[in-house]
Amino acid sequence: MLHNSLGDLCSVWDAMNNMITLQHIQIKASFETSTHVVGHVFKKTLYKRILGMVSRYALNEIATEFECVHYAGKNPSSCGCVMRTTHDLPCACELSRYVVGSISLNAIHMFWRRLSFSDQGLCEAEVNIKEWRPYLKDLRNLMFVVKLL
C-alpha cells in the first residue's frame, strides 16, 4: 500500500498503523528476550544481585568497566570515576570493592533499572469524537475534491 501514491487517507492510515503495530510487537519480543537470556559473562557472583534487574546495556557497560579494575584497583586516582559521573553506574574503583561479593542494586541509578514497556503513571487525554465531527466532514469533502482532480 505504501509503495505507491494510490489510495485514500484511511487506507494509508491503516497500512501505517499495521506496520507500526508489527514493529512494536517485534521490539517488545526482542526486549523480553534480552531480559531473560543471560550471557556467560554475567554468570559470575559479581552480577548475581543485579541480573534481570538492570538493562542489558548497563550490564555491558559494567562488564567493560570491570575489566579496568585490575588497573584502577591498584591506583584509585587513575580511575577518574567517568562511568559514575556520566552514566551513574559503578566505576572501576567502586567495582574493585565488589571483587569478592556482588554489586548492590542501590549502586545503579533508577534509569537503568526500568525494564518494562508499561505506561503506568502516564495519563493519556481522552479524545471526544463529537469534537472531531466537523473536521471529519471537512476532511471527507476534501478527499472527494482530491479524487475528482
Side-chain angles (χ1 to χ4, degrees):
M1 171 56 61
L2 297 178
H3 300 289
N4 58 35
S5 62
L6 301 177
D8 61 352
L9 180 62
C10 292
S11 60
V12 172
W13 181 270
D14 288 339
M16 287 184 63
N17 186 43
N18 291 339
M19 283 189 346
I20 291 170
T21 302
L22 180 63
Q23 286 177 350
H24 185 259
I25 290 169
Q26 290 172 340
I27 290 169
K28 233 174 143 174
S30 171
F31 183 75
E32 288 296 322
T33 301
S34 73
T35 59
H36 297 299
V37 175
V38 179
H40 71 290
V41 175
F42 306 117
K43 291 188 179 181
K44 297 178 184 176
T45 308
L46 179 71
Y47 305 103
K48 184 173 74 172
R49 292 174 23 196
I50 62 171
L51 205 57
M53 306 295 278
V54 299
S55 72
R56 178 74 54 194
Y57 180 82
L59 286 172
N60 288 330
E61 290 295 318
I62 292 170
T64 303
E65 193 71 11
F66 188 68
E67 293 173 3
C68 301
V69 166
H70 303 296
Y71 308 110
K74 297 174 184 172
N75 187 6
S77 62
S78 67
C79 175
C81 301
V82 174
M83 189 59 67
R84 175 55 72 191
T85 56
T86 58
H87 291 75
D88 214 357
L89 291 170
C91 59
C93 62
E94 285 182 59
L95 290 173
S96 66
R97 289 182 252 148
Y98 296 115
V99 171
V100 177
S102 60
I103 301 169
S104 169
L105 191 58
N106 293 333
I108 297 169
H109 190 270
M110 180 58 91
F111 174 80
W112 303 108
R113 293 187 262 168
R114 185 174 185 271
L115 297 177
S116 70
F117 270 113
S118 71
D119 57 355
Q120 291 178 337
L122 299 176
C123 179
E124 292 185 16
E126 291 185 23
V127 177
N128 188 355
I129 299 297
K130 292 177 183 176
E131 294 175 6
W132 286 93
R133 288 197 182 171
Y135 300 110
L136 290 174
K137 184 178 178 183
D138 291 340
L139 183 61
R140 285 189 190 113
N141 291 338
L142 180 63
M143 288 171 45
F144 180 73
V145 171
V146 169
K147 284 183 182 180
L148 290 177
L149 296 175

